[in-house]
Amino acid sequence: PESLPVTRTGTRQVPGSRQVFCPSNPDYAHAADRIVRRLAQRYADHPAVVLWHVHNEWGNHNALCYCDVSATAFRLWLRERYETLDGLNAAWGTDFWSQRYGDWQEIQPPRDTPAFVNPTQDLDYQRFSSDALLRRHRTESALIREHAPDTPLTTNLMGTLEKKIDGFAFAEQCDVVSVDHYLTAADPQAHIGLALNADLARGMASGAPWMLMEHSTSAVNWQPVNVAKKPGEMRRNSLAHIARGADSVMFFQWRQAKAGAEKWHSAMLPHNGTQSSTWREVTRLGRHLRALTDIRGSTVDAHIALVFDWHAWWALELDARPSSHLRYLDLVHSWYEALWSLGHTCDIVPPGSDLTAYRAVLAPSLYLVTDDDAENLHSYARGGGHLLVGAFSGVVDVNDHVRPGPQPGAFRDLLGLTVDEYLPVRPTDRIALADGSAAHTWAERLVLHSAAATLRFAPGAAGAPAAGEPAITHNPVAAGTAGYLATHPEPAVLRRTIEAFCRAAGARPAADVPVGVEAVRRRTSAGGSFLFLINHLDEAVTVPARGTDMISGLSYEGKCRLGAGDVVIVRE
Amino acid sequence: PESLPVTRTGTRQVPGSRQVFCPSNPDYAHAADRIVRRLAQRYADHPAVVLWHVHNEWGNHNALCYCDVSATAFRLWLRERYETLDGLNAAWGTDFWSQRYGDWQEIQPPRDTPAFVNPTQDLDYQRFSSDALLRRHRTESALIREHAPDTPLTTNLMGTLEKKIDGFAFAEQCDVVSVDHYLTAADPQAHIGLALNADLARGMASGAPWMLMEHSTSAVNWQPVNVAKKPGEMRRNSLAHIARGADSVMFFQWRQAKAGAEKWHSAMLPHNGTQSSTWREVTRLGRHLRALTDIRGSTVDAHIALVFDWHAWWALELDARPSSHLRYLDLVHSWYEALWSLGHTCDIVPPGSDLTAYRAVLAPSLYLVTDDDAENLHSYARGGGHLLVGAFSGVVDVNDHVRPGPQPGAFRDLLGLTVDEYLPVRPTDRIALADGSAAHTWAERLVLHSAAATLRFAPGAAGAPAAGEPAITHNPVAAGTAGYLATHPEPAVLRRTIEAFCRAAGARPAADVPVGVEAVRRRTSAGGSFLFLINHLDEAVTVPARGTDMISGLSYEGKCRLGAGDVVIVRE
Amino acid sequence: PESLPVTRTGTRQVPGSRQVFCPSNPDYAHAADRIVRRLAQRYADHPAVVLWHVHNEWGNHNALCYCDVSATAFRLWLRERYETLDGLNAAWGTDFWSQRYGDWQEIQPPRDTPAFVNPTQDLDYQRFSSDALLRRHRTESALIREHAPDTPLTTNLMGTLEKKIDGFAFAEQCDVVSVDHYLTAADPQAHIGLALNADLARGMASGAPWMLMEHSTSAVNWQPVNVAKKPGEMRRNSLAHIARGADSVMFFQWRQAKAGAEKWHSAMLPHNGTQSSTWREVTRLGRHLRALTDIRGSTVDAHIALVFDWHAWWALELDARPSSHLRYLDLVHSWYEALWSLGHTCDIVPPGSDLTAYRAVLAPSLYLVTDDDAENLHSYARGGGHLLVGAFSGVVDVNDHVRPGPQPGAFRDLLGLTVDEYLPVRPTDRIALADGSAAHTWAERLVLHSAAATLRFAPGAAGAPAAGEPAITHNPVAAGTAGYLATHPEPAVLRRTIEAFCRAAGARPAADVPVGVEAVRRRTSAGGSFLFLINHLDEAVTVPARGTDMISGLSYEGKCRLGAGDVVIVRE
């Protein structure tokens, strides 16, 4: 029972479900290691084992445990990070609210507290919890590699847009990256979220091909309403993953369970067997996939990078921020949606990665940014890059301390402006912009230094900046440029802004297709290329294409008719 | 303190309220038995004791206790049900998610878990909990009967539409069935819920007269807003209960308490005493009831049965179903509302009861149905009955295992169709039907075998079936018929569907009255009959009636004028 | 760890936040006393110490602790209050639901219970909890006074509209009253809430000047969306506090923290330093305040009292009332808003205070009223006063027992009417009034005795009184009058009602200004007076003024032009 996880309010959870263990528990670790060792010994040389899958969905349900064992492990993690109590007290700013620690034993996980918990403590607990699972992953991986040093190894990193664990850190430990994806039934544009998930999977794989470990043939069972996939939708989903770098498309589950918690999750072979629409669609997909073998190993064409960071996410959503309506995924999603609608393919990368190859880099939200990462973005722009930064970025350092001097602290010089005051607005308020469009949630009162305004505020919401104040800016930086959005524009103006930015940066879509049609290109190292054309519209469209249809064998001499909901893959 | 109940997240509750005991606690049982024995001894021969009321509202607040004593009792209950661990492991499908039990001691109540708990475990816990209270009821009843073998005995089964305990199982243990009823203040049509409650009370009493143990003269105190009854409403409520088989109408509370948790619950004698509207209405009701003595013992005329089952309810609302918007009571209520509006009186019965006498049987929701109960419905139709089955029925067996082969598993042959896929839709989506009306929440893609479509889908919501696919079907079965609704139509089309179904089955209302007027007939074994006419409209209506008004003494020669909000009871 | 607070459901909270202590814990008390003693010894004679501030915001986060130590302290408090168990059983009405206590040890705090907890127990726990903190305040104050008998002492009573502690009881223990104030960002009329808070601060100070211990230069950080103050808003806020009796205006915080839970709370010196709008506004305010020195010590002119009572608040919002939509602050706020809009300045006072000097007294909500307080209001009216009482008042006694006989129990004779029945309506229902306006939430069916109706109900919502029944009444009482509102009218009709009432009582605003402009007058004991004119409108207005502008030095000969958002203070 000591290995069972404990909730923030102190409830010890019970078996009868899934992932019912504390990530830091040594007894669990011991028992799990024994199983891993036995499995590795037994199957290391088995010819059918071509890949090891370590655990499944680390931390999907038990990422945050608040038990006493976790508390002890947290203290050890803190000792390693800060070495001294003075270091910890400084990093956590414990002078505020008289929280100074005189003994490591006094430190607790951020359990239930009467008022806001110390924010750096909370942030560190998310880091510690991700690390505790990563440690399990490394241990189990090492045990497997001991016996099977030459077999590649992966772990299913879940739908990649999960706050629970730092995906980049786990991906580094895998020979090949694999992820889940499940559509959000409530979102009629859920295929955009799919593309985002896939591009992040590719980012976690540093551009290399990756595996789709799980998706669904139709409905899932864990959302409030589990909408089934429409005819053709599963095929579009599958091929969209491949377009964006997946070299495999697998499903949970093979045969639909008749009992247990996931019996209402769709499967390749559903309850009603082979006399079913689902089975017919699955076998049709299988036939089509066979025609795509040559694509394997090719990489995806992307001239744009979108910056993503789990630490920035964790920090932005801590308690007691200027606005709780500033949600990290909303920001990333809205920028990504603009890119998607414009037909741009982007890599989704951590802020410290090598950006030199990209024509344009977008950073929708970097509230927390380390000094090194900030310098990486600076040097990208100085080197001729085009950078676009979202509101409330560059604000705090690695410890969630506000950077000294005017905001946007880490990006002040880069953006050529300072922030006089952050001006969040009420969720129902709309902020008018000078071109007649609107923004929402957030605004800032800027003082421009070297930057110039490309869009200004109009008379608008209570608390928003005055009419004429800059809303979107542009700053020349050595050979490059750095733009800033001091608000969250509605989709149309965000799209126009990003369109102009990408055009100036010389980034172009893979093909000239209407909004609602995806065009993505994969290239082989030998110079071959494959153009994926995916029609999410309810009507047929004609799009440019030149080459051979890999499924139908048809030849396109410049254009191709793409049926409603259809997918065409052209060998160019 | 060991006898205090514990919540799902582990909070031990405290005294200072009501029903603060764990249903499985032996110390509580011991103490309660002692009181029961003493009371029984003392009052067994008291001439004023004509009926024993065992406990009150079993499980209204404490049905589900998660303490360690309950855990032990649950294990005993499971041993009785499954005999072996293999039996339990098979029934619970514990191979899924590695939940296999190797020792009875490992089994826990479905307390807090990181992800979904095992659904059969959850279902069995609801069964166990209902049984734990039933065991208390049987024990206390036996103690009373030991001393007073000839006095009838009852227990107040609460508002009958409570998920907490299996009403049919408790009713079986009573000499006379008694229930509560309180209007739902938020529902402007709460009198339809009252009729449903009363018809279910009669179903629990197998058609015999029953007792209304509690209702209110005016407002209650436990809803968010406790709307008072309008002038005349309490009288309509009281007489509606009698119309539907009640032989007594009692109130909580006699004199309005001046302190405690229920002081704002209305009473026969309110805080302001006899100089009050409430008191005047109560005494008027008393006078009218005196005129109705001859009705006592007569039974209610009903040619239609509506199938109701607590196990189907519990199973439908477990975690991780296709749609959490599929709520058992909504389904039952919407079908009942159609019957009520059409003027049909129905018995509400368990799926295993004798159905042969009914012209029509409606089963709005039987997601879980046992093999025996399914066979009972089959044989009803084969014998010439007319059966109408709601969507997502016949799906799982007694252990919540999906029935093998295409759905609707248990009713596939009976309905002459199979389900290709279940298609829940988002709560905001409307599903278009071919006659211009709409449905919501749920649809199914059907393949018809012997069945014919009586209504089809029109082009509609995302995820709904394609236009032209069958929505409502009809299947001839030997001498009878079996219809199916593969969606949840809006009220008007549901009413039309049920109207056509009842007409075809030859079931007729008690009288030809407009919508909003209730007409129910009670008959004596000697051949007499009483027609209740209850006008819920804000205007007077003229309705057919022949006989003597039992309250006014007026004689009706074919029609009767029924004032706005008035009630007339005609001795025919 | 024993000193850490425990939540209602039994979670022991942890350090890492603020106010993480149980108010009744003796170990905490001992440790806190030691610190207080040491501080008092050390600084008692320090020339810079002119005022002691004991603790800060007593009970803001930890007012209600449910630990075992609190349970023990609660029992002691109850013994003092009731002396015998019989006394307690009678006061709590424990005969209901068989809750009778036979031993003091059986009594628990109102922790988690299966159904409603005993309401008097719940009410007493709020009283006990406020008293437990008050005891700490008295103890710490005594320790300080021992060493510094001549230095005045205060405690920051928080935003005064906090349910957590009885503000009047704490204020009595202070040499000078001090409070917080923070605008509610979601309320576009938050400056009316500010005025209400300030008038209550003055009420707690019995009319004497008071201190604004904290407000903010701009946004706070603890609301869901923290809207910044608009240019000029902080100045208006600051001067509005002074207008209503503050003799000091202080801010939390001086320099904006760079770490910790309140780093996003605005400050006098913000993160971006002196090159900021905020700093410029703060220094400008400082210059203006210097010109207002002569106002210090003067008192505010108010001819109207509004009755406020924490015990009435606690009791009204206990479980299982006729309507949970009847919220104390909504009622007080709506009446206050009417007064504010009409330009009336009122004192906010406890029901037992000396009312003789007021021309009019308004009591929006006195569900619970003690016998003495009821008599105080009676004698005010008998002595020629004009009293207006809100719905559902006079209902229960000090123990939350319904007063015998028809309602409104304590005010029956005073108001010259009885209540036949309380008629709460659904939140979406509107109640029509005879003048074409509407009311909401609540109505009563009245029987008038000596009272006359001044407004009647029109045909309206389900459950509301019939058309023609009285909604607002007026009763002559000896030399005075007593009016009653049997419903909650919408703002316009509430304003008209209160306007007519005040006019009849001979109460007049400080100046004749349009709605949205505040006019408040302070007077010195020497006969001087200062008129504050605060324009909350977005346009300039001309208002009557005669005297010298204390900031600009301008002279007004009868009128003054007040810019949009501007404030003028006239030495008359």
Side-chain angles (χ1 to χ4, degrees), chain C residues 18-19 35-36 39-40 43 48-59 136-137 140-142 144-145 148 151-158 165 170 173-180 182 211-214 250-252:
Chain C
R18 194 189 150 202
Q19 293 189 337
I35 294 172
V36 171
L39 283 168
Y43 294 107
V49 176
V50 295
L51 175 76
W52 285 87
H53 175 198
V54 182
H55 203 77
N56 184 50
E57 300 180 350
W58 284 109
R136 290 290 325 133
H137 175 73
E140 297 189 11
S141 298
I144 293 167
R145 283 181 174 132
T151 315
L153 171 157
T154 190
T155 189
N156 171 7
L157 290 170
M158 303 184 278
I165 57 166
F170 277 77
Q173 303 296 325
C174 294
D175 300 314
V176 54
V177 163
S178 60
V179 303
D180 280 353
Y182 294 104
M211 297 173 66
L212 183 69
M213 180 72 90
E214 297 182 8
M250 291 181 282
F251 293 93
F252 175 79

Side-chain angles (χ1 to χ4, degrees), chain A residues 130-411:
Chain A
S130 179
D131 281 357
L133 287 162
L134 183 57
R135 201 173 146 219
R136 290 291 323 134
H137 175 73
R138 296 176 70 151
T139 304
E140 297 190 11
S141 298
L143 289 171
I144 293 168
R145 283 183 174 130
E146 214 173 280
H147 293 91
D150 301 324
T151 315
L153 171 156
T154 191
T155 190
N156 171 7
L157 290 169
M158 304 185 274
T160 49
L161 299 165
E162 289 283 358
K163 195 176 173 181
K164 298 157 184 170
I165 58 167
D166 178 350
F168 290 124
F170 277 77
E172 254 178 39
Q173 304 295 325
C174 295
D175 300 316
V176 54
V177 163
S178 60
V179 302
D180 281 354
H181 182 262
Y182 294 105
L183 298 174
T184 303
D187 177 8
Q189 299 274 77
H191 51 272
I192 303 181
L194 180 155
L196 169 52
N197 191 74
D199 287 348
L200 178 50
R202 191 174 68 252
M204 298 198 299
S206 303
W210 49 278
M211 298 172 66
L212 184 68
M213 180 72 89
E214 297 181 9
H215 74 153
S216 67
T217 56
S218 191
V220 298
N221 66 323
W222 43 267
Q223 298 184 16
V225 175
N226 299 290
V227 175
K229 292 193 180 179
K230 282 167 284 185
E233 188 172 5
M234 184 271 286
R235 178 171 176 266
R236 275 198 304 286
N237 294 163
S238 300
L239 298 174
H241 285 293
I242 293 179
R244 294 177 183 277
D247 265 5
S248 79
V249 166
M250 292 182 279
F251 292 94
F252 175 80
Q253 46 194 331
W254 189 287
R255 185 177 191 144
Q256 199 169 11
K258 70 171 189 174
E262 297 196 292
K263 62 176 165 293
W264 291 112
H265 192 293
S266 60
M268 290 198 284
L269 185 61
H271 289 136
N272 50 350
T274 55
Q275 297 301 314
S276 59
S277 303
T278 298
W279 177 254
R280 285 188 293 272
E281 295 217 21
V282 166
T283 50
R284 178 174 176 241
L285 176 70
R287 288 193 301 275
H288 291 179
L289 288 180
R290 218 169 292 138
L292 305 180
T293 315
D294 289 354
I295 292 170
R296 212 163 43 188
S298 63
T299 55
V300 175
D301 239 24
H303 307 305
I304 298 174
L306 188 141
V307 173
F308 192 94
D309 185 43
W310 267 270
H311 298 255
W313 185 354
W314 293 332
L316 182 72
E317 297 183 358
L318 292 169
D319 288 337
R321 309 283 110 167
S323 171
S324 60
H325 291 264
L326 215 59
R327 309 296 298 174
Y328 188 75
L329 279 194
D330 290 350
L331 302 173
V332 169
H333 201 279
S334 64
W335 286 46
Y336 185 84
E337 189 182 340
L339 285 171
W340 189 93
S341 302
L342 293 165
H344 286 296
T345 310
C346 68
D347 288 344
I348 300 186
V349 300
S353 60
D354 181 1
L355 302 169
T356 46
Y358 295 108
R359 288 183 186 278
V361 172
L362 293 87
S365 182
L366 278 176
Y367 165 72
L368 178 151
V369 65
T370 65
D371 296 347
D372 287 352
D373 289 350
E375 173 50 30
N376 189 48
L377 291 165
H378 271 252
S379 80
Y380 166 72
R382 277 196 307 262
H386 295 261
L387 175 69
L388 190 63
V389 176
F392 204 44
S393 287
V395 178
V396 297
D397 68 14
V398 69
N399 292 323
D400 192 42
H401 289 208
V402 178
R403 290 177 176 279
Q407 291 296 342
F411 299 134

Side-chain angles (χ1 to χ4, degrees), chain B residues 11 17 185 218 224 258 263 277, chain C residues 9 116 324 400 402 420-421 426:
Chain B
T11 300
S17 179
S218 189
K258 69 171 191 176
K263 63 177 164 293
S277 303
Chain C
T9 51
F116 298 125
S324 61
D400 193 43
V402 177
D420 184 56
E421 192 166 16
R426 297 182 195 107

